[in-house]
Amino acid sequence: MKAFAALYNRLDSTTKTNEKVAAMADYFERARPADAAWALWFLSGGRPKRLIASGRLRQWAAVAAGIPDWLFEECYDAVGDLAETIALLVPAAPQPNEDPLHLWVEERLLGLRALEEDELRERLLAAWAELDRRQLFVWNKLITGALRVGVSKRLAVRALASVARVDAATLTHRLAGNWRPTAAAYEALFSADTSDADLSRPYPFFLAHPLEGEPAALGAHDDWQAEWKWDGIRAQVVRRGGRVFLWSRGEELVTESFPEVAESARLLPDGCVIDGELMAWKDGGPLPFAVLQRRLGRKKPGPKILADAPAALVAYDLLEWRGEDYRSRPLGERRSRLTGLLDSLPATDRVLASPVVAAADWAELEAARLAARERSAEGLMLKRLSSAYGVGRRRGDWWKWKLDPFTLDAVLIYAQRGHGRRASLYTDYTFGVWHEGKLVPIAKAYSGLTDAEIRRVDRFVRRHTTDRFGPVRAVEPELVFEIAFEGIRESKRHKSGIALRFPRMARWRDDKKPKEADTLDAARALLQAPAPARDEGR
Amino acid sequence: MTATEALLQLTRDGLFCPAGRFWIDPWRPVERAVLTHAHADHARPGSERYLAAAEGELVLRRRLGPEARIEAVPYGAEVDRDGVRVSLHPAGHVLGSAQVRLEHRGQVCVVSGDYKAAADPTCAVFEPVACHHFVTESTFGLPVFRWPETAEVVDELHAWWRGNQEQGKASLLYAYALGKAQRLLASIDPSIGPIWTHGAVENLVEDYRGAGVPLPPTRRVSEAPDGTDWSRALVVAPPSAHATPWMRRFGALSTAFASGWMALRGTRRRRSVDRGFVLSDHADWGALIGAIEQTGAQRVWVTHGYREPLVRWLEEAGLEARAIAARFESEGDDR
């Protein structure tokens, strides 16, 4: 526990990715396999099922700290993180317990599950009494869920790869599925024979840059292939050795989460890798991203969700064919292979080719782009027909030509403190638009302002509070912000009757008075709009 | 209206003593002001006359200008203001910081200004003053604020400085220019390496030296010759210098911030510095409660910070407590 707490502290004291990876590598280098296995599991985002209700935890922490509940809540409100609040309040052990991580997890943490309340309380108070302040914080993080220390499975794997001398893709393969954090399983990760993983290995994704300026600058339009830019999850399907592997761009193996796609992919011939987009897809067309979202994070989707939110792989590119790496061949050739291949398959609508958008000139493409939203696409992709499938994000051959977001001017009406690095500052805002002389809440937004702007808004909130509802402050309607968002739909769950997708603050309109903000009618008009209004003199 | 309330009132210009016709840390220019200390949210320029502790006269003059009429009195000396006996007592916050004691017709009021209980080599230590009515700050008025021993923090700071030297990095330490910076300078071991200062810090370092506070040798960054090697240096600068072109000259560097707010992970991360050292010139929760108890006051006014929780805590302890407004309120990240 001590070494893991020290690792956490190191990870927490730097924002630099390389230093985080180095800290984890140092830990893996020294840790015993039984402890390293759990460390890897937690660092990769593993979390125990909820052990203790937050309300109970708060009550007991207040008891341990010897303060009334209301004062605990005040502290929690100021700190913004439950694990940290508890660690700052309960007395720390002068002589902390020296047990290794795996004992703390296996005997103490997992032992908390399914205990009666009295017993649970006693064990928890006993655990707190044995830890120093740094360990208290990490222990509380472990029992409350996420570590939130700016590392991901990808970074943990990268650190482990440098220690294990096994490449990251192999480790990812070995960690996929239901990996159990035991000493034996950890040691098996180090095996030098990588043939187990070679079969599943995807190619690095090739990414596009946003197009700035006019497309005509790219030259003749017929040197380019235009496709819809779908709003889903970029993925690769790998068909080798009689098996199917579905990888998401986050370098996660998601085969089991999308069984209908995997089943269709089994129809592909062996030795073939396809790049595409995982989408919610029904009756030959895309469903909104919100539908796909319901599939995310589900390891084994049930029949109901499979029927309500069916997924498909919409294919962009062919990376491997008959076991041969096709990436250096020109896109035109890869594309005709891909369509030929998919056309030859028995009927399936779970793996299908993303259509090419045909046009006589750039103007037609521009028109197609503006109509993208009707197809639930975010815009167009432009790919040079002669281009190879590269590595990473390189300028020149692939461009994303997205639609501008929708925007509305709205007034700040409520504010709430943020969490994590924004705890204690008012950073979470609710915005309203005018309707019958009143401001109706239309969106919540947290991002888009600079730190300096956040501090200014925070000061405004503190000085212009008109009412408080728990942690929420109502403020005088004075500040106007331009809210940008990607989509808008009807919603019965929202007071305004509409819901915005990805709202964020595009600009602080300190040139505008609250009366000049938009109305609900103006927002509703966007429900019908196929494309965002452009170039209104901005 | 009770006797002590008559002695002290909250007006739109701040705390006012009607019997003595003077304000304490007034928010706007007034005729007669008594100041607790020289920080900008307490010492506003423009009043006709000031009464302040002699120990802090130099730093106060830097804030108020050479023309300001300041009557500087030693700690403990009594001054008569229209029958109100006024005296200043060490608050332990920064050089010259004072609690203002008012006595009139047997009633005693103490306005503490900002204060801390911990020892500080650069100023007189906080002195508990018995009173009926105490006005306290509450900047860190929550039990999550519990300061570590200063010696521990200084050890961590030394380790950070030495570690940076080993990696060939300059050590850039942010600290409030008045008080915190000098306290740090007086606490660290100058044999580790050369110490440089930002101009805003150095001006006040000179005032501290002028007031007889021993500080290690320092040099202004602005006077460093071209090609200066910063890799072993400690540079002390105000927080406002962070992420400005000024800091580019140091090349490879590690940044740190010394403040009570560094006790919270959220504020530490939001500052985006490499290290946070928990060092405050304000009382932590335990010290606030202790100081209030020691005064024996039955009536407590709470200003500046987490007022409501402290008021409720005091009420539950049987005191008559009230939150009063502070004019210059902010998150107070720089303290």
Side-chain angles (χ1 to χ4, degrees), chain A residues 8 12-13 70 84 88-89 133 148 420-421 423-425 463, chain B residues 142-143 146 264-266 270 274 309 312-313 316 329 331:
Chain A
Y8 190 98
D12 199 26
S13 12
W70 67 263
E84 186 186 0
L88 289 168
L89 286 171
R133 215 160 283 295
R148 288 185 179 275
R421 72 185 280 268
S424 88
L425 275 187
R463 292 187 184 169
Chain B
L142 284 175
R146 181 159 38 175
L264 299 189
R265 183 169 175 249
R270 196 164 62 238
D274 299 314
R312 182 161 171 193
W313 176 271
E316 291 188 359
E329 199 173 1
E331 195 198 16

PDB file of all heavy atoms in Angstrom, chain A residues 8 12-13 70 84 88-89 133 148 420-421 423-425 463, chain B residues 142-143 146 264-266 270 274 309 312-313 316 329 331:
ATOM      1  N   TYR A   8       1.032   6.777  -6.595  1.00  0.00           N
ATOM      2  CA  TYR A   8      -0.089   7.677  -6.844  1.00  0.00           C
ATOM      3  C   TYR A   8       0.355   9.127  -6.694  1.00  0.00           C
ATOM      4  O   TYR A   8       0.051   9.986  -7.513  1.00  0.00           O
ATOM      5  CB  TYR A   8      -1.234   7.382  -5.874  1.00  0.00           C
ATOM      6  CG  TYR A   8      -2.507   8.101  -6.235  1.00  0.00           C
ATOM      7  CD1 TYR A   8      -3.509   7.452  -6.945  1.00  0.00           C
ATOM      8  CD2 TYR A   8      -2.700   9.443  -5.918  1.00  0.00           C
ATOM      9  CE1 TYR A   8      -4.663   8.108  -7.311  1.00  0.00           C
ATOM     10  CE2 TYR A   8      -3.847  10.111  -6.280  1.00  0.00           C
ATOM     11  CZ  TYR A   8      -4.829   9.434  -6.975  1.00  0.00           C
ATOM     12  OH  TYR A   8      -5.972  10.102  -7.349  1.00  0.00           O
ATOM     13  N   ASP A  12       0.360  12.016  -9.447  1.00  0.00           N
ATOM     14  CA  ASP A  12      -0.457  13.189  -9.185  1.00  0.00           C
ATOM     15  C   ASP A  12       0.356  14.472  -9.243  1.00  0.00           C
ATOM     16  O   ASP A  12      -0.194  15.548  -9.377  1.00  0.00           O
ATOM     17  CB  ASP A  12      -1.092  13.028  -7.801  1.00  0.00           C
ATOM     18  CG  ASP A  12      -2.284  13.938  -7.624  1.00  0.00           C
ATOM     19  OD1 ASP A  12      -2.907  14.290  -8.637  1.00  0.00           O
ATOM     20  OD2 ASP A  12      -2.585  14.287  -6.477  1.00  0.00           O
ATOM     21  N   SER A  13       1.686  14.352  -9.081  1.00  0.00           N
ATOM     22  CA  SER A  13       2.460  15.602  -9.050  1.00  0.00           C
ATOM     23  C   SER A  13       3.013  15.989 -10.408  1.00  0.00           C
ATOM     24  O   SER A  13       3.827  16.895 -10.485  1.00  0.00           O
ATOM     25  CB  SER A  13       3.581  15.569  -7.998  1.00  0.00           C
ATOM     26  OG  SER A  13       3.804  14.317  -7.507  1.00  0.00           O
ATOM     27  N   TRP A  70     -23.156  18.176   9.175  1.00  0.00           N
ATOM     28  CA  TRP A  70     -23.255  19.390   8.344  1.00  0.00           C
ATOM     29  C   TRP A  70     -21.874  19.961   8.038  1.00  0.00           C
ATOM     30  O   TRP A  70     -21.628  20.470   6.949  1.00  0.00           O
ATOM     31  CB  TRP A  70     -24.146  20.445   9.007  1.00  0.00           C
ATOM     32  CG  TRP A  70     -23.603  21.042  10.286  1.00  0.00           C
ATOM     33  CD1 TRP A  70     -23.917  20.650  11.560  1.00  0.00           C
ATOM     34  CD2 TRP A  70     -22.643  22.099  10.415  1.00  0.00           C
ATOM     35  NE1 TRP A  70     -23.212  21.400  12.472  1.00  0.00           N
ATOM     36  CE2 TRP A  70     -22.422  22.300  11.807  1.00  0.00           C
ATOM     37  CE3 TRP A  70     -21.940  22.897   9.513  1.00  0.00           C
ATOM     38  CZ2 TRP A  70     -21.539  23.260  12.308  1.00  0.00           C
ATOM     39  CZ3 TRP A  70     -21.054  23.855  10.004  1.00  0.00           C
ATOM     40  CH2 TRP A  70     -20.864  24.030  11.397  1.00  0.00           C
ATOM     41  N   GLU A  84     -10.750  12.560  -0.961  1.00  0.00           N
ATOM     42  CA  GLU A  84      -9.819  13.535  -0.412  1.00  0.00           C
ATOM     43  C   GLU A  84     -10.370  14.177   0.863  1.00  0.00           C
ATOM     44  O   GLU A  84      -9.650  14.362   1.845  1.00  0.00           O
ATOM     45  CB  GLU A  84      -9.514  14.616  -1.451  1.00  0.00           C
ATOM     46  CG  GLU A  84      -8.433  15.571  -0.981  1.00  0.00           C
ATOM     47  CD  GLU A  84      -8.210  16.740  -1.935  1.00  0.00           C
ATOM     48  OE1 GLU A  84      -8.887  16.826  -2.961  1.00  0.00           O
ATOM     49  OE2 GLU A  84      -7.348  17.582  -1.609  1.00  0.00           O
ATOM     50  N   LEU A  88      -8.539  14.122   4.491  1.00  0.00           N
ATOM     51  CA  LEU A  88      -8.101  15.334   5.185  1.00  0.00           C
ATOM     52  C   LEU A  88      -8.701  15.434   6.580  1.00  0.00           C
ATOM     53  O   LEU A  88      -8.200  16.166   7.425  1.00  0.00           O
ATOM     54  CB  LEU A  88      -8.498  16.578   4.377  1.00  0.00           C
ATOM     55  CG  LEU A  88      -7.726  16.823   3.086  1.00  0.00           C
ATOM     56  CD1 LEU A  88      -8.413  17.901   2.253  1.00  0.00           C
ATOM     57  CD2 LEU A  88      -6.292  17.234   3.380  1.00  0.00           C
ATOM     58  N   LEU A  89      -9.804  14.716   6.814  1.00  0.00           N
ATOM     59  CA  LEU A  89     -10.524  14.908   8.071  1.00  0.00           C
ATOM     60  C   LEU A  89     -10.275  13.835   9.128  1.00  0.00           C
ATOM     61  O   LEU A  89     -10.226  14.144  10.310  1.00  0.00           O
ATOM     62  CB  LEU A  89     -12.027  15.009   7.795  1.00  0.00           C
ATOM     63  CG  LEU A  89     -12.492  16.327   7.173  1.00  0.00           C
ATOM     64  CD1 LEU A  89     -13.947  16.238   6.735  1.00  0.00           C
ATOM     65  CD2 LEU A  89     -12.320  17.473   8.161  1.00  0.00           C
ATOM     66  N   ARG A 133      -1.782   9.792   5.949  1.00  0.00           N
ATOM     67  CA  ARG A 133      -2.674  10.637   5.155  1.00  0.00           C
ATOM     68  C   ARG A 133      -2.647  10.312   3.654  1.00  0.00           C
ATOM     69  O   ARG A 133      -3.667  10.275   2.979  1.00  0.00           O
ATOM     70  CB  ARG A 133      -2.327  12.112   5.400  1.00  0.00           C
ATOM     71  CG  ARG A 133      -3.543  12.996   5.368  1.00  0.00           C
ATOM     72  CD  ARG A 133      -3.370  14.323   6.049  1.00  0.00           C
ATOM     73  NE  ARG A 133      -3.429  14.250   7.497  1.00  0.00           N
ATOM     74  CZ  ARG A 133      -4.513  13.899   8.211  1.00  0.00           C
ATOM     75  NH1 ARG A 133      -5.632  13.548   7.608  1.00  0.00           N
ATOM     76  NH2 ARG A 133      -4.479  13.885   9.522  1.00  0.00           N
ATOM     77  N   ARG A 148      -8.701   8.425 -10.984  1.00  0.00           N
ATOM     78  CA  ARG A 148      -8.638   9.782 -11.546  1.00  0.00           C
ATOM     79  C   ARG A 148      -7.293  10.439 -11.332  1.00  0.00           C
ATOM     80  O   ARG A 148      -7.168  11.441 -10.648  1.00  0.00           O
ATOM     81  CB  ARG A 148      -9.717  10.664 -10.915  1.00  0.00           C
ATOM     82  CG  ARG A 148     -11.078  10.309 -11.394  1.00  0.00           C
ATOM     83  CD  ARG A 148     -12.088  11.276 -10.856  1.00  0.00           C
ATOM     84  NE  ARG A 148     -13.412  10.935 -11.344  1.00  0.00           N
ATOM     85  CZ  ARG A 148     -13.893  11.333 -12.506  1.00  0.00           C
ATOM     86  NH1 ARG A 148     -13.167  12.093 -13.291  1.00  0.00           N
ATOM     87  NH2 ARG A 148     -15.088  10.979 -12.889  1.00  0.00           N
ATOM     88  N   GLY A 420     -12.623  17.776  -8.927  1.00  0.00           N
ATOM     89  CA  GLY A 420     -11.231  17.579  -9.303  1.00  0.00           C
ATOM     90  C   GLY A 420     -10.485  18.897  -9.265  1.00  0.00           C
ATOM     91  O   GLY A 420     -10.580  19.630  -8.301  1.00  0.00           O
ATOM     92  N   ARG A 421      -9.781  19.188 -10.358  1.00  0.00           N
ATOM     93  CA  ARG A 421      -8.938  20.386 -10.325  1.00  0.00           C
ATOM     94  C   ARG A 421      -9.752  21.669 -10.290  1.00  0.00           C
ATOM     95  O   ARG A 421      -9.242  22.738 -10.031  1.00  0.00           O
ATOM     96  CB  ARG A 421      -7.941  20.393 -11.490  1.00  0.00           C
ATOM     97  CG  ARG A 421      -8.526  20.653 -12.838  1.00  0.00           C
ATOM     98  CD  ARG A 421      -7.464  20.507 -13.906  1.00  0.00           C
ATOM     99  NE  ARG A 421      -6.628  21.674 -14.030  1.00  0.00           N
ATOM    100  CZ  ARG A 421      -6.857  22.684 -14.868  1.00  0.00           C
ATOM    101  NH1 ARG A 421      -7.923  22.685 -15.638  1.00  0.00           N
ATOM    102  NH2 ARG A 421      -6.020  23.688 -14.945  1.00  0.00           N
ATOM    103  N   ALA A 423     -12.461  21.912  -8.261  1.00  0.00           N
ATOM    104  CA  ALA A 423     -13.213  21.940  -7.021  1.00  0.00           C
ATOM    105  C   ALA A 423     -13.021  23.293  -6.362  1.00  0.00           C
ATOM    106  O   ALA A 423     -11.943  23.870  -6.405  1.00  0.00           O
ATOM    107  CB  ALA A 423     -12.722  20.835  -6.104  1.00  0.00           C
ATOM    108  N   SER A 424     -14.086  23.791  -5.738  1.00  0.00           N
ATOM    109  CA  SER A 424     -14.085  25.054  -5.005  1.00  0.00           C
ATOM    110  C   SER A 424     -14.217  26.275  -5.914  1.00  0.00           C
ATOM    111  O   SER A 424     -14.442  27.373  -5.441  1.00  0.00           O
ATOM    112  CB  SER A 424     -12.890  25.214  -4.065  1.00  0.00           C
ATOM    113  OG  SER A 424     -11.800  25.784  -4.733  1.00  0.00           O
ATOM    114  N   LEU A 425     -14.103  26.112  -7.191  1.00  0.00           N
ATOM    115  CA  LEU A 425     -14.416  27.217  -8.108  1.00  0.00           C
ATOM    116  C   LEU A 425     -15.782  26.927  -8.728  1.00  0.00           C
ATOM    117  O   LEU A 425     -16.105  25.779  -8.997  1.00  0.00           O
ATOM    118  CB  LEU A 425     -13.422  27.262  -9.266  1.00  0.00           C
ATOM    119  CG  LEU A 425     -12.102  27.985  -9.095  1.00  0.00           C
ATOM    120  CD1 LEU A 425     -11.400  28.030 -10.440  1.00  0.00           C
ATOM    121  CD2 LEU A 425     -12.314  29.385  -8.577  1.00  0.00           C
ATOM    122  N   ARG A 463     -20.454  37.118  -5.972  1.00  0.00           N
ATOM    123  CA  ARG A 463     -20.973  38.436  -5.622  1.00  0.00           C
ATOM    124  C   ARG A 463     -22.388  38.676  -6.086  1.00  0.00           C
ATOM    125  O   ARG A 463     -23.000  39.657  -5.701  1.00  0.00           O
ATOM    126  CB  ARG A 463     -20.071  39.523  -6.211  1.00  0.00           C
ATOM    127  CG  ARG A 463     -18.744  39.502  -5.518  1.00  0.00           C
ATOM    128  CD  ARG A 463     -17.902  40.641  -5.945  1.00  0.00           C
ATOM    129  NE  ARG A 463     -16.597  40.525  -5.314  1.00  0.00           N
ATOM    130  CZ  ARG A 463     -15.561  41.255  -5.633  1.00  0.00           C
ATOM    131  NH1 ARG A 463     -15.676  42.148  -6.574  1.00  0.00           N
ATOM    132  NH2 ARG A 463     -14.427  41.098  -5.022  1.00  0.00           N
TER     133      ARG A 463
ATOM    134  N   LEU B 142     -12.273  25.738   7.828  1.00  0.00           N
ATOM    135  CA  LEU B 142     -12.875  24.409   7.709  1.00  0.00           C
ATOM    136  C   LEU B 142     -11.863  23.400   8.251  1.00  0.00           C
ATOM    137  O   LEU B 142     -10.651  23.588   8.079  1.00  0.00           O
ATOM    138  CB  LEU B 142     -13.172  24.063   6.245  1.00  0.00           C
ATOM    139  CG  LEU B 142     -14.383  24.719   5.582  1.00  0.00           C
ATOM    140  CD1 LEU B 142     -14.440  24.350   4.103  1.00  0.00           C
ATOM    141  CD2 LEU B 142     -15.682  24.318   6.266  1.00  0.00           C
ATOM    142  N   PRO B 143     -12.347  22.326   8.884  1.00  0.00           N
ATOM    143  CA  PRO B 143     -11.395  21.378   9.492  1.00  0.00           C
ATOM    144  C   PRO B 143     -10.505  20.639   8.496  1.00  0.00           C
ATOM    145  O   PRO B 143      -9.561  19.970   8.918  1.00  0.00           O
ATOM    146  CB  PRO B 143     -12.284  20.412  10.280  1.00  0.00           C
ATOM    147  CG  PRO B 143     -13.674  20.677   9.854  1.00  0.00           C
ATOM    148  CD  PRO B 143     -13.735  22.028   9.242  1.00  0.00           C
ATOM    149  N   ARG B 146      -5.447  21.923   8.008  1.00  0.00           N
ATOM    150  CA  ARG B 146      -4.696  21.537   9.194  1.00  0.00           C
ATOM    151  C   ARG B 146      -3.237  21.576   8.764  1.00  0.00           C
ATOM    152  O   ARG B 146      -2.773  20.724   8.014  1.00  0.00           O
ATOM    153  CB  ARG B 146      -5.143  20.105   9.545  1.00  0.00           C
ATOM    154  CG  ARG B 146      -4.522  19.552  10.730  1.00  0.00           C
ATOM    155  CD  ARG B 146      -5.340  18.415  11.304  1.00  0.00           C
ATOM    156  NE  ARG B 146      -5.968  17.529  10.325  1.00  0.00           N
ATOM    157  CZ  ARG B 146      -6.646  16.428  10.680  1.00  0.00           C
ATOM    158  NH1 ARG B 146      -6.757  16.104  11.937  1.00  0.00           N
ATOM    159  NH2 ARG B 146      -7.192  15.662   9.760  1.00  0.00           N
ATOM    160  N   LEU B 264      -5.263  21.527  -0.768  1.00  0.00           N
ATOM    161  CA  LEU B 264      -6.306  20.873  -1.557  1.00  0.00           C
ATOM    162  C   LEU B 264      -5.761  20.497  -2.926  1.00  0.00           C
ATOM    163  O   LEU B 264      -5.160  21.307  -3.613  1.00  0.00           O
ATOM    164  CB  LEU B 264      -7.513  21.795  -1.743  1.00  0.00           C
ATOM    165  CG  LEU B 264      -8.232  22.252  -0.478  1.00  0.00           C
ATOM    166  CD1 LEU B 264      -9.520  22.979  -0.851  1.00  0.00           C
ATOM    167  CD2 LEU B 264      -8.545  21.072   0.427  1.00  0.00           C
ATOM    168  N   ARG B 265      -5.998  19.247  -3.290  1.00  0.00           N
ATOM    169  CA  ARG B 265      -5.491  18.734  -4.545  1.00  0.00           C
ATOM    170  C   ARG B 265      -6.048  19.530  -5.719  1.00  0.00           C
ATOM    171  O   ARG B 265      -5.339  19.804  -6.696  1.00  0.00           O
ATOM    172  CB  ARG B 265      -5.905  17.273  -4.634  1.00  0.00           C
ATOM    173  CG  ARG B 265      -5.428  16.542  -5.830  1.00  0.00           C
ATOM    174  CD  ARG B 265      -5.678  15.051  -5.629  1.00  0.00           C
ATOM    175  NE  ARG B 265      -5.347  14.287  -6.801  1.00  0.00           N
ATOM    176  CZ  ARG B 265      -6.252  13.674  -7.559  1.00  0.00           C
ATOM    177  NH1 ARG B 265      -7.528  13.746  -7.257  1.00  0.00           N
ATOM    178  NH2 ARG B 265      -5.865  12.982  -8.611  1.00  0.00           N
ATOM    179  N   GLY B 266      -7.297  19.919  -5.629  1.00  0.00           N
ATOM    180  CA  GLY B 266      -7.929  20.646  -6.728  1.00  0.00           C
ATOM    181  C   GLY B 266      -7.235  21.971  -7.012  1.00  0.00           C
ATOM    182  O   GLY B 266      -6.892  22.270  -8.149  1.00  0.00           O
ATOM    183  N   ARG B 270      -5.038  22.987 -10.261  1.00  0.00           N
ATOM    184  CA  ARG B 270      -5.508  24.089 -11.087  1.00  0.00           C
ATOM    185  C   ARG B 270      -4.411  25.128 -11.310  1.00  0.00           C
ATOM    186  O   ARG B 270      -4.376  25.810 -12.309  1.00  0.00           O
ATOM    187  CB  ARG B 270      -6.715  24.725 -10.409  1.00  0.00           C
ATOM    188  CG  ARG B 270      -7.513  25.591 -11.301  1.00  0.00           C
ATOM    189  CD  ARG B 270      -8.867  25.871 -10.717  1.00  0.00           C
ATOM    190  NE  ARG B 270      -8.767  26.574  -9.462  1.00  0.00           N
ATOM    191  CZ  ARG B 270      -9.276  26.129  -8.325  1.00  0.00           C
ATOM    192  NH1 ARG B 270      -9.884  24.979  -8.283  1.00  0.00           N
ATOM    193  NH2 ARG B 270      -9.150  26.817  -7.222  1.00  0.00           N
ATOM    194  N   ASP B 274       4.428  22.477 -10.657  1.00  0.00           N
ATOM    195  CA  ASP B 274       4.915  21.116 -10.441  1.00  0.00           C
ATOM    196  C   ASP B 274       4.753  20.673  -8.987  1.00  0.00           C
ATOM    197  O   ASP B 274       4.529  19.509  -8.707  1.00  0.00           O
ATOM    198  CB  ASP B 274       6.387  21.014 -10.860  1.00  0.00           C
ATOM    199  CG  ASP B 274       6.558  21.335 -12.335  1.00  0.00           C
ATOM    200  OD1 ASP B 274       5.763  20.798 -13.124  1.00  0.00           O
ATOM    201  OD2 ASP B 274       7.447  22.120 -12.693  1.00  0.00           O
ATOM    202  N   PRO B 309     -19.770  28.307   7.983  1.00  0.00           N
ATOM    203  CA  PRO B 309     -19.489  27.124   8.811  1.00  0.00           C
ATOM    204  C   PRO B 309     -18.889  27.491  10.172  1.00  0.00           C
ATOM    205  O   PRO B 309     -19.271  26.907  11.179  1.00  0.00           O
ATOM    206  CB  PRO B 309     -18.476  26.328   7.979  1.00  0.00           C
ATOM    207  CG  PRO B 309     -18.573  26.849   6.600  1.00  0.00           C
ATOM    208  CD  PRO B 309     -19.098  28.250   6.679  1.00  0.00           C
ATOM    209  N   ARG B 312     -21.617  28.821  12.468  1.00  0.00           N
ATOM    210  CA  ARG B 312     -22.497  27.766  12.983  1.00  0.00           C
ATOM    211  C   ARG B 312     -21.788  26.951  14.068  1.00  0.00           C
ATOM    212  O   ARG B 312     -22.371  26.602  15.090  1.00  0.00           O
ATOM    213  CB  ARG B 312     -22.935  26.871  11.827  1.00  0.00           C
ATOM    214  CG  ARG B 312     -23.875  25.782  12.281  1.00  0.00           C
ATOM    215  CD  ARG B 312     -24.667  25.187  11.145  1.00  0.00           C
ATOM    216  NE  ARG B 312     -25.385  24.015  11.644  1.00  0.00           N
ATOM    217  CZ  ARG B 312     -25.968  23.138  10.857  1.00  0.00           C
ATOM    218  NH1 ARG B 312     -25.936  23.285   9.553  1.00  0.00           N
ATOM    219  NH2 ARG B 312     -26.594  22.094  11.376  1.00  0.00           N
ATOM    220  N   TRP B 313     -20.505  26.666  13.832  1.00  0.00           N
ATOM    221  CA  TRP B 313     -19.726  25.908  14.806  1.00  0.00           C
ATOM    222  C   TRP B 313     -19.690  26.651  16.154  1.00  0.00           C
ATOM    223  O   TRP B 313     -19.894  26.064  17.214  1.00  0.00           O
ATOM    224  CB  TRP B 313     -18.305  25.687  14.275  1.00  0.00           C
ATOM    225  CG  TRP B 313     -17.394  25.006  15.241  1.00  0.00           C
ATOM    226  CD1 TRP B 313     -16.599  25.585  16.183  1.00  0.00           C
ATOM    227  CD2 TRP B 313     -17.195  23.592  15.379  1.00  0.00           C
ATOM    228  NE1 TRP B 313     -15.914  24.626  16.883  1.00  0.00           N
ATOM    229  CE2 TRP B 313     -16.260  23.396  16.408  1.00  0.00           C
ATOM    230  CE3 TRP B 313     -17.715  22.469  14.725  1.00  0.00           C
ATOM    231  CZ2 TRP B 313     -15.823  22.133  16.809  1.00  0.00           C
ATOM    232  CZ3 TRP B 313     -17.289  21.211  15.115  1.00  0.00           C
ATOM    233  CH2 TRP B 313     -16.357  21.051  16.147  1.00  0.00           C
ATOM    234  N   GLU B 316     -23.011  26.602  17.901  1.00  0.00           N
ATOM    235  CA  GLU B 316     -23.264  25.319  18.550  1.00  0.00           C
ATOM    236  C   GLU B 316     -22.441  25.176  19.824  1.00  0.00           C
ATOM    237  O   GLU B 316     -22.767  24.393  20.700  1.00  0.00           O
ATOM    238  CB  GLU B 316     -23.024  24.159  17.571  1.00  0.00           C
ATOM    239  CG  GLU B 316     -24.084  24.149  16.479  1.00  0.00           C
ATOM    240  CD  GLU B 316     -24.052  22.936  15.556  1.00  0.00           C
ATOM    241  OE1 GLU B 316     -23.170  22.069  15.732  1.00  0.00           O
ATOM    242  OE2 GLU B 316     -24.917  22.867  14.658  1.00  0.00           O
ATOM    243  N   GLU B 329     -13.588  40.198  -1.505  1.00  0.00           N
ATOM    244  CA  GLU B 329     -13.680  38.760  -1.356  1.00  0.00           C
ATOM    245  C   GLU B 329     -13.318  38.078  -2.654  1.00  0.00           C
ATOM    246  O   GLU B 329     -13.757  38.473  -3.715  1.00  0.00           O
ATOM    247  CB  GLU B 329     -15.099  38.371  -0.963  1.00  0.00           C
ATOM    248  CG  GLU B 329     -15.149  37.011  -0.357  1.00  0.00           C
ATOM    249  CD  GLU B 329     -16.538  36.723   0.185  1.00  0.00           C
ATOM    250  OE1 GLU B 329     -17.425  37.565   0.072  1.00  0.00           O
ATOM    251  OE2 GLU B 329     -16.702  35.632   0.719  1.00  0.00           O
ATOM    252  N   GLU B 331     -11.508  34.009  -4.065  1.00  0.00           N
ATOM    253  CA  GLU B 331     -11.130  32.687  -3.595  1.00  0.00           C
ATOM    254  C   GLU B 331      -9.866  32.806  -2.760  1.00  0.00           C
ATOM    255  O   GLU B 331      -9.594  31.991  -1.905  1.00  0.00           O
ATOM    256  CB  GLU B 331     -10.919  31.752  -4.777  1.00  0.00           C
ATOM    257  CG  GLU B 331     -10.884  30.320  -4.324  1.00  0.00           C
ATOM    258  CD  GLU B 331     -10.269  29.440  -5.368  1.00  0.00           C
ATOM    259  OE1 GLU B 331      -9.618  29.948  -6.286  1.00  0.00           O
ATOM    260  OE2 GLU B 331     -10.436  28.235  -5.238  1.00  0.00           O
TER     261      GLU B 331
END
